[in-house]
Amino acid sequence: MPSKGLLKLESWSLEREASSYGPTTAWSNKDMDPVPPEGRTWGTWNYVAYWVSDATNVAVWQLASSMLAIGLSWRQALPAIAVGHVIIAVVMVLNGTIGARLHIAFPVLNRSSFGFWLSYFSVISRIVLSMFWFGIQSYTGSECVYQMLKAIWPSTAHIPNHLPESAHITTVGMMCYFLYWLIQLPLMLVSPQRIRHLFTAKSIVVPFAWLAMLIWAFVKAPASLSLEPRHSEISGSTFNWAWLSALNSALGIYSTLAVNIPDFTRYAKNEKAQYVQLFIIPTAFTLIGFVGIAVTSAGEVLYGELIWDPLQLIDRWDNRAAAFFAAFSFILATLGTNISANSLSAANDLTVILPKYINIRRGQVICAIIGGWALCPWEILASAPGFLTFMSGYTVFLGPFAGIMITDFWLVHKGKVDVPAMYDPYGRYRYWNGINWRAAVALLVSVPPNLPGLAHSINPNINVGNASFLFNISWLFGFFVGGGLYWLLSALYPATETFVEKAILAGDPSMPYQTYDAQSEGDGSIKSEKNSTKVTATQL
């Protein structure tokens, strides 16, 4: 491509694929299309590896810290983690089955429940969350690189700093961040069908490494010494709200993936392949939560203080070989989680924003640049703890998103949806000017009640009275109120133009592309577009 041509936007257009859906190239590309049979490569063990991989990350290790910090004992914290992940596992399978059945990504699927244009609100929300957490996870990965380098060359700890204090990062910190970013970037360019092998490797290496750390903890500080003295410091209604807050934290840690899990289950060989999530999610996350509690408690006995950051715990070790391999397990854990939960999610969402120019690979690169560098995660971590609280609190939107999606597919449409119409801005899912007002009302009712509590969590000086308690169950409130109200409105005012007798999926090349002629919502007239692209569809 000539250098002058690079400056022209059209020169970056993706090559049009014959199989692409949508009336024009502006609405679809190959990565947005339903996954063809040859691309459906994920089996049951791939989903086991995926979730063992995702469970073994620093955030899950530290999950119990917030629970013990508010006064719960470890015996009370573990059930909160287990119950939270049982609930999120059910949501994962319900949304995941949709992806496995239709073989489409979350941003496309979302159009059937929110309307073609309103769906962009949830998509952009996911992009923002993914990019911020991508940067923050990348910074955690850079700390792993530092521990590995220090284990090999102890002098790394004494590299002089040439950056000002206002930079909120040191010279060695920037070096380690750049090295981690370079390690991570090539892995981000691997296709979703093949990246499952990274999750498999991580699911084997990391659990064994963390099991070794658990054994080390029990040898150095037996459970009778480190765990038994821990009792609940609260009781009554204070305990009840604290436990519900802990449950909400467990729900929130992967509430993002509960929404966009179709991005991964669309690659399933069949629907049954992803049912294993129902078992593996609560099992893996509860076990990792226990490991985090046990090792941290042992660290308190050995070093006289609670060290919730496992990398800071590793920093105290004298055994350099042990420190290196432990840090390696954490860098592998961070790589797998950052790609699966953040960069791939952002890339899938970005393809929908500009499908003519962005595919999954380009979306990954954009995420690596914006999330990794433009957002300066070290600045966020150093100077804006309230902002991090806000980003965590952003999950007040994710409960309603998940509730509306599940309600729409399983209860309102009963699985009978029109996949080709999801690619057309004027198709049957246009609703009212591209907005499903039922979903909009459900969001307006389920989200605002949690905002006072969110404001209080960011700034405790803001007194919101008892409204702060509702924030302790924000995900559950949003999921059930949002989903319930959506079902009620859909029952009272059904969008009849969106109903089909049988599900229309990819498969039959003889079916012409069709659009919904929406003079007003409820018209229900369908017209064949003679000059539009043929799509593949079959009725079940």
Side-chain angles (χ1 to χ4, degrees), residues 60-331:
V60 178
W61 179 292
Q62 295 175 318
L63 176 63
S65 64
S66 61
M67 301 182 184
L68 300 190
I70 60 177
L72 297 179
S73 70
W74 69 271
R75 286 189 177 90
Q76 295 162 340
L78 277 183
I81 295 174
V83 172
H85 285 95
V86 166
I87 295 172
I88 215 71
V90 172
V91 176
M92 288 286 184
V93 170
L94 287 173
N95 262 339
T97 300
I98 305 173
R101 181 177 298 180
L102 307 183
H103 305 291
I104 56 177
F106 152 72
V108 176
L109 168 65
N110 210 27
R111 294 168 175 171
S112 64
S113 51
F114 284 80
F116 196 92
W117 295 116
L118 183 59
S119 69
Y120 281 79
F121 171 68
S122 58
V123 170
I124 292 173
S125 298
R126 277 292 295 135
I127 292 173
V128 171
L129 282 171
S130 295
M131 287 193 173
F132 272 107
W133 289 118
F134 174 85
I136 293 166
Q137 287 275 5
S138 294
Y139 188 82
T140 300
S142 73
E143 294 180 312
C144 300
V145 172
Y146 171 76
Q147 294 299 333
M148 292 171 66
L149 293 177
K150 188 168 75 73
I152 301 173
W153 299 290
S155 59
T156 302
H158 305 293
I159 293 177
N161 178 36
H162 299 290
L163 296 176
E165 186 177 349
S166 60
H168 297 124
I169 190 171
T170 62
T171 299
V172 68
M174 182 62 77
M175 177 190 72
C176 292
Y177 186 85
F178 181 65
L179 289 174
Y180 176 83
W181 189 86
L182 286 180
I183 294 169
Q184 183 173 244
L185 184 61
L187 294 172
M188 293 171 65
L189 302 181
V190 179
S191 70
Q193 290 93 335
R194 294 181 179 178
I195 197 64
R196 70 187 194 279
H197 299 307
L198 171 64
F199 303 144
T200 301
K202 177 185 169 183
S203 68
I204 296 172
V205 174
V206 178
F208 279 108
W210 289 16
L211 178 62
M213 293 181 71
L214 179 64
I215 294 172
W216 166 84
F218 283 146
V219 169
K220 291 289 186 179
S224 59
L225 184 63
S226 60
L227 291 179
E228 287 303 318
R230 296 193 170 279
H231 300 289
S232 177
E233 300 173 4
I234 52 178
S235 60
S237 62
T238 303
F239 163 76
N240 294 334
W241 282 111
W243 194 88
L244 287 173
S245 177
L247 174 66
N248 197 63
S249 297
L251 288 165
I253 196 167
Y254 271 98
S255 58
T256 50
L257 261 179
V259 170
N260 72 289
I261 189 63
D263 288 346
F264 298 94
T265 57
R266 66 176 176 146
Y267 298 106
K269 293 179 179 179
N270 51 60
E271 290 181 31
K272 293 181 180 179
Q274 52 90 45
Y275 288 165
V276 72
Q277 296 178 109
L278 198 60
F279 167 77
I280 195 62
I281 290 175
T283 302
F285 281 80
T286 304
L287 288 175
I288 295 302
F290 175 73
V291 171
I293 290 174
V295 175
T296 301
S297 299
E300 183 182 20
V301 173
L302 295 174
Y303 304 112
E305 61 178 305
L306 280 172
I307 306 174
W308 288 109
D309 185 345
L311 297 170
Q312 294 300 316
L313 183 67
I314 293 171
D315 193 52
R316 303 289 186 95
W317 293 356
D318 295 326
N319 189 320
R320 289 162 56 189
F324 175 87
F325 286 110
F328 174 77
S329 74
F330 278 102
I331 197 172

Side-chain angles (χ1 to χ4, degrees), residues 444-519:
L444 289 173
V445 171
S446 59
V447 172
N450 283 310
L451 297 182
L454 174 59
H456 177 74
S457 69
I458 296 172
N459 184 357
N461 294 324
I462 299 176
N463 185 12
V464 297
N466 292 332
S468 61
F469 291 112
L470 187 60
F471 185 67
N472 292 334
I473 55 170
S474 58
W475 192 92
L476 289 170
F477 177 86
F479 180 85
F480 287 107
V481 172
L485 181 57
Y486 180 81
W487 175 82
L488 179 63
L489 292 174
S490 296
L492 293 175
Y493 309 99
T496 55
E497 74 281 2
T498 66
F499 290 95
V500 292
E501 292 183 1
K502 297 179 181 179
I504 304 174
L505 309 180
D508 182 6
S510 65
M511 185 174 179
Y513 192 82
Q514 294 184 326
T515 59
Y516 167 53
D517 187 10
Q519 296 294 331

Side-chain angles (χ1 to χ4, degrees), residues 1 5-6 8-17 25-26 28-29 354-359 362:
M1 185 186 300
L6 292 173
K8 296 180 180 180
L9 185 61
E10 285 302 316
S11 66
W12 291 92
S13 297
L14 296 169
E15 182 178 349
R16 173 69 172 173
E17 296 283 344
T25 56
S28 182
N29 61 44
L354 287 171
K356 186 176 180 179
Y357 302 99
I358 301 175
N359 56 18
R362 289 183 181 181

